[in-house]
């Protein structure tokens, strides 16, 4: 598949990814397989945030999360690409995991989401010993001692799936910086996806998602936090398109192996 925005998009559909993430064990010593979901905000950040770009370059799979990202990628020749959002991936993956085999580790931003996740996974027959949930502090990523403790906990838990719900670029950069200490697990930085799954945050109606208008719902739900992202920074996406059009075609890019 052609590289777009310098990203190696995975050709896999959501169902194909869920099947691999739920059935395919990572061989000992391989290390983490990170799945990143690119939206407009991510593409804009990639232009100036080198740590974020490094995280994307080391990802095992990159999907098109945002509708404009998908549309542009198709116009650039990635016609087989399908949209896979982080939130949809979580919604499909967690019910597909085998409670007797999967060992889950969540990093979330509030106790309400943590409590709801415990209840939902218990109802799905997950043993309490197979699920660990960490409520991260506000300064997550800045305290090295805390990061050391967290990475040790992830490895001791023999985590098979690590899900980060702290938002971009915080989750992605932290995972990239500590990837050599996380063990052999799938890593999904999915932002608000965990809150949507837990029901502590309401997601946009299906019709708005299908029409590519989920951003409007998010803006209306959290105007103070998201106004700049959607009303100001999003226009920089046009600059990213201009840069991509001016970049020589590098041929086919690697995707999930």
């Amino acid at each position: 598949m052609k590289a777009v925005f310098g990203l190696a998009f995975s050709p896999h559909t959501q169902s194909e990814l869920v099947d691999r993430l739920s059935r395919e064990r990572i061989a000992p010593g391989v290390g983490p397989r990170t799945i990143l979901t690119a939206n407009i905000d991510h593409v804009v950040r990639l232009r100036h945030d080198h740590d974020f770009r490094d995280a994307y370059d080391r990802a095992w799979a990159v999907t098109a999360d945002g509708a404009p990202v998908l549309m542009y990628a198709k116009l650039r020749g990635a016609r087989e690409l399908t949209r896979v959002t982080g939130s949809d991936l979580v919604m499909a993956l967690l019910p597909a995991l085998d409670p007797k085999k999967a060992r889950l580790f969540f990093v979330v931003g509030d106790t309400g989401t943590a409590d709801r996740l415990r209840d939902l996974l218990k109802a799905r027959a997950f043993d309490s010993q197979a699920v660990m949930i960490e409520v991260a502090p506000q300064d997550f990523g800045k305290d090295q001692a805390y990061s050391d403790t967290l990475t040790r906990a992830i490895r001791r838990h023999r985590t098979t799936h690590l899900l980060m719900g702290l938002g971009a670029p915080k989750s992605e950069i932290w995972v990239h910086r500590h990837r050599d200490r996380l063990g052999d697990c799938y890593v999904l930085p999915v932002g608000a996806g965990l809150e949507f799954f837990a029901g502590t945050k309401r997601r946009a109606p299906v019709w708005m998602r299908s029409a590519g208008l989920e951003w409007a719902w998010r803006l209306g739900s959290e105007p103070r936090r998201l106004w700049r992202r959607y009303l100001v920074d999003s226009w920089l996406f046009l600059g990213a398109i201009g840069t991509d059009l001016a970049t020589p075609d590098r041929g086919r890019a690697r995707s999930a192996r």
Side-chain angles (χ1 to χ4, degrees), residues 99 116-127:
R116 282 289 295 153
L117 284 171
R118 287 192 187 93
D119 292 342
L120 288 170
L121 292 168
K122 183 179 179 180
R124 286 170 166 76
F126 276 90
D127 187 275

Side-chain angles (χ1 to χ4, degrees), residues 76-130:
R76 289 286 281 162
R79 295 181 180 83
E80 66 269 44
L81 189 63
T82 59
R83 188 180 183 191
V84 181
T85 74
S87 298
D88 287 332
L89 191 56
V90 168
M91 292 290 188
L93 176 62
L94 290 179
L97 295 175
D98 186 340
K100 297 180 180 179
K101 297 179 179 180
R103 297 185 62 80
L104 310 181
F105 200 113
F106 298 87
V107 182
V108 299
D110 64 275
T111 56
T113 298
D115 292 341
R116 282 289 295 153
L117 284 171
R118 287 192 187 93
D119 292 342
L120 288 170
L121 292 168
K122 183 179 179 180
R124 286 170 166 76
F126 276 90
D127 187 275
S128 60
Q129 299 301 311

Side-chain angles (χ1 to χ4, degrees), residues 21-44:
L21 269 59
S22 61
R23 297 176 183 273
E24 188 175 304
R25 296 296 298 270
I26 302 176
V30 169
R33 288 179 172 179
T34 306
I35 298 88
L36 300 184
T37 56
N39 56 30
I40 286 181
D41 180 58
H42 288 201
V43 171
V44 169

